[in-house]
């Protein structure tokens, strides 16, 4: 008796004869799964295996199919209306294709759907009403050209866990109804033309772990977001968010990443941010924040701290030197004063340090050159003075900018490699005769390539044994072709423990 080919195999052999040869039992192909009646329940044809062209309408005859995945392929055209017959469909993945046109309204009637993924295609038009898809857990529509407003009916998707609407042409405000998605874990809205404040109702999403609403035109952050007790990652950069930072954000105990850069924030950075015990990345640059950097930030395990391009003032807190895991510290373009804290010697993992365009003064600490991983150091446009530390030439491949500090002088670090880039314009730094690296367009030192250096260490003590001891070094340093200067430099100030009393 001849083997009977199932009707579903006939559909596939007709639609894709190069993949499913006529006469074969298609159920043995690894790209699909069949039930006991040889009816197709799962079909995965991702990548280059699919020929370029529209999806055959006959695929809509696979009426028992539960999973249909045609992603990352060269299919084009529109989503076939015949798919409306797929009443058993649970997962639909058409992402990464060249499909065009709208998502048909009938998709909202496929009530068995748990996942819709059509991201990174060329789909357009409004987002249809999907509010009846009570089983839907994932809705991924990002990276298309959807337009219009976000349907408020999405707030009825009570089982939704992932909602991605990013990188479209959506307009209007974020609907307050999204605050009803109590099972939501991920919300991606970035790269749209959304306006208005983030609704206060979003603070009700107690299971939300990730939110990205960056690159829109949003105008406000409600204090109610402190209710997002599961939140780990929050991106709000490149919006028009004004007002102050809510101190209540310090209650986000699981927060790992917070970026509100390039907005219109004003006021101070709340000291309560020091309670964010898991925070590793804090980006608040490009705002109008003022006041002092909270010393409490030195208590949290930051890897990246970017507060540049604000109006921060006062001195840099010593506590910043406690951030031993810090790799990127950018405090440039503020109004900071005082010296670089000696505690910066403890930033043993620091790779990038930017303090440029402030009003910092005093000597550049020798200890900065001893941070082995430091690859980029920007100190330009400040009021630093004294001899340029030779320790800054210890390691290769450094980017060192110290321009517009007229009080700096002395020879360029001897071992600054050719691979380094430096800028010392507007200083009195010179280049030794046998310097092996980039001259940075600086003048040569005197004919004697080795600076004449006379060192005298002195210690002064006042009062009891608990009073400070100041150790100074007197240096006579050759600066340029014609100049020699004598400088007294404070090396360190310490307080000795009491000496035992002799009998």
């Amino acid at each position: 008796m001849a083997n009977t080919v199932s009707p579903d195999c006939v559909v596939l052999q007709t639609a894709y004869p190069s993949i499913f040869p006529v006469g074969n039992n298609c159920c043995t192909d690894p790209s699909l799964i069949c039930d006991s009646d040889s009816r197709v329940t799962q079909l995965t044809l991702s990548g280059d295996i699919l020929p370029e062209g529209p999806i055959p309408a006959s695929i809509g005859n696979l009426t028992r199919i539960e999973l249909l995945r045609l992603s990352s392929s060269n299919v084009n055209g529109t989503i076939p209306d015949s798919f409306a017959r797929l009443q058993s469909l649970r997962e639909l993945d058409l992402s990464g294709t060249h499909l065009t046109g709208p998502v048909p309204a009938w998709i909202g009637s496929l009530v068995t759907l748990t996942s819709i993924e059509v991201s990174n295609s060329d789909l357009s038009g409004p987002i249809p009403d999907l509010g009846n898809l009570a089983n839907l857990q994932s809705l991924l529509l990002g990276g298309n050209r959807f337009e219009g407003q976000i349907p408020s009916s999405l707030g009825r998707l009570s089982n939704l866990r992932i909602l991605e609407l990013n990188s479209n042409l959506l307009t209007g405000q974020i609907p307050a109804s999204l605050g009803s998605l109590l099972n939501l874990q991920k919300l991606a809205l970035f790269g749209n033309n959304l306006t208005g404040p983030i609704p206060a109702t979003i603070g009700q999403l107690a299971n939300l772990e990730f939110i990205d609403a960056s690159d829109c035109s949003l105008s406000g952050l409600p204090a109610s977001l402190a209710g997002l007790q599961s939140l780990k990652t929050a991106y709000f950069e490149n919006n028009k968010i004004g007002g102050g930072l809510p101190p209540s954000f310090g209650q986000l105990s699981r927060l790992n990443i917070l970026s509100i850069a390039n907005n219109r924030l004003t006021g101070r950075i709340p000291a309560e941010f020091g309670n964010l015990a898991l925070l590793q990345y804090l980006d608040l640059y490009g705002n109008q924040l003022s006041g002092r950097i909270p010393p409490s930030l030195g208590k949290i395990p930051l890897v990246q701290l970017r507060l540049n391009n604000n109006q921060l003032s006062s001195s840099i807190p010593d506590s910043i030197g406690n951030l031993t895991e810090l790799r990127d510290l950018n405090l440039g373009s503020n109004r900071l004063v005082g010296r670089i804290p000696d505690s910066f010697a403890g930033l043993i993992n620091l790779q990038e340090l930017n303090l440029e365009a402030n009003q910092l003064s005093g000597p550049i600490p020798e200890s900065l050159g001893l941070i082995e991983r430091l690859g980029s150091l920007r100190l330009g446009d400040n009021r630093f003075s004294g001899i340029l530390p030779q320790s800054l030439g210890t390691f290769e491949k450094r980017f060192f900018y110290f321009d517009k500090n007229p009080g700096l002088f002395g020879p360029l670090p001897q071992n600054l490699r050719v691979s380094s880039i430096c800028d010392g314009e507007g200083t009195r730094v010179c280049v030794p005769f046998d310097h092996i690296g980039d001259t940075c367009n600086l003048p040569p030192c005197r004919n004697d390539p080795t600076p004449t250096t006379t060192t005298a260490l002195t210690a002064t003590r006042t009062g009891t044994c608990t009073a400070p001891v100041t150790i100074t070094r007197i240096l006579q340093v050759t600066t340029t072709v014609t100049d020699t200067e004598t400088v007294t430099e404070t090396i360190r100030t310490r307080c000795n423990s009491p000496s035992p009393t002799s009998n």
Side-chain angles (χ1 to χ4, degrees), residues 183-414:
N183 288 303
L184 198 65
Q185 297 174 0
K186 180 179 181 180
L187 176 59
L189 302 173
F190 64 90
N192 282 290
N193 297 316
L194 301 173
T195 56
I198 293 176
T201 56
I202 297 298
Q204 301 170 179
L205 304 179
N207 290 304
L208 193 67
E209 298 180 2
F210 177 99
I211 182 171
D212 190 343
S214 57
D215 298 294
C216 294
S217 295
L218 299 171
S219 58
L221 283 179
S224 63
L225 295 186
L228 303 176
Q229 289 302 301
S230 298
L231 193 64
K232 297 178 182 179
T233 302
Y235 294 107
F236 301 111
E237 70 263 23
N238 303 322
N239 279 288
K240 299 177 181 179
I241 298 171
L245 286 167
S248 58
F249 280 14
Q251 301 171 19
L252 298 170
S253 59
R254 297 186 182 182
L255 196 61
N256 180 256
I257 300 173
L258 176 61
S259 178
I260 320 179
N262 291 327
N263 277 284
R264 300 174 180 177
L265 295 172
T266 57
R268 296 174 177 266
I269 301 172
E272 289 83 355
F273 277 25
N275 297 327
L276 300 173
L278 299 180
L279 192 66
Q280 291 186 295
Y281 298 85
L282 179 58
D283 285 353
L284 300 176
Y285 61 86
N287 283 286
Q288 301 169 35
L289 296 169
S290 58
R292 190 182 184 193
I293 299 171
S296 59
L297 294 185
K299 299 189 303 180
I300 52 183
L302 286 169
V303 173
Q304 178 175 290
L305 177 59
R306 296 177 178 175
L307 306 178
N308 50 292
N309 295 90
N310 278 288
Q311 300 172 16
L312 300 171
S313 57
S314 192
S315 58
I316 301 172
D318 289 339
S319 60
I320 298 299
N322 298 331
L323 301 174
T324 55
E325 298 301 318
L326 197 63
R327 299 173 192 167
D328 184 352
L329 176 59
N330 194 336
L331 306 178
S333 299
N334 279 289
R335 300 173 182 176
L336 300 172
V337 297
R339 299 188 173 205
I340 298 176
D342 292 336
S343 61
F344 273 28
L347 301 177
I348 56 176
N349 287 298
L350 196 63
Q351 298 175 11
E352 298 185 31
L353 175 59
N354 188 340
L355 302 176
E356 65 187 3
N358 280 288
Q359 301 171 33
L360 298 169
S361 58
I364 298 174
E366 286 273 359
S367 57
L368 288 185
L370 303 179
I371 301 175
E372 295 189 17
R373 299 183 180 183
L374 188 61
S376 176
L377 178 59
R378 296 176 179 268
L379 303 177
D381 200 7
N382 277 286
R383 299 174 182 176
F384 293 116
S385 60
I387 184 173
L388 194 66
Q390 293 300 295
S391 63
L392 295 172
T394 305
F395 305 104
E396 296 185 20
K397 297 184 179 178
R398 289 195 156 173
F399 296 81
F400 180 29
Y401 303 89
F402 55 99
D403 58 305
K404 299 179 183 177
N405 283 286
L408 287 177
F409 64 91
L412 196 67
Q414 184 66 21

Side-chain angles (χ1 to χ4, degrees), residues 1-118:
M1 181 176 179
N3 292 330
T4 302
V5 178
S6 74
D8 285 4
C9 285
V10 173
V11 168
L12 292 174
Q13 290 166 353
T14 303
Y16 298 115
S18 62
I19 303 173
F20 304 102
V22 175
N24 288 3
N25 181 8
C26 67
C27 290
T28 61
D29 193 282
S31 65
L32 52 82
I33 294 176
C34 298
D35 62 15
S36 59
D37 296 326
S38 297
R39 301 295 299 273
V40 174
T41 59
Q42 295 186 24
L43 175 62
T44 300
L45 294 174
S46 298
D48 294 336
I49 190 172
L50 277 177
E52 183 176 354
I55 300 172
S58 59
I59 297 298
N61 294 323
L62 304 176
T63 54
R64 291 192 190 179
I65 197 165
E66 297 178 2
L67 183 151
L68 177 59
R69 181 176 292 123
L70 306 177
S71 57
S72 303
S73 62
N74 293 317
V75 298
N76 53 37
T78 60
I79 298 174
D81 285 337
S82 61
F83 280 16
R85 297 195 293 269
L86 303 180
Q87 293 296 314
S88 298
L89 192 63
R90 295 179 181 273
E91 297 182 37
L92 175 63
D93 185 354
L94 303 176
S95 62
T97 65
H98 301 286
L99 291 171
T100 57
V103 172
W106 48 255
I107 202 169
S109 66
L110 301 180
V111 294
T112 57
L113 278 169
T114 61
S115 175
I116 299 174
E117 184 171 357
V118 294

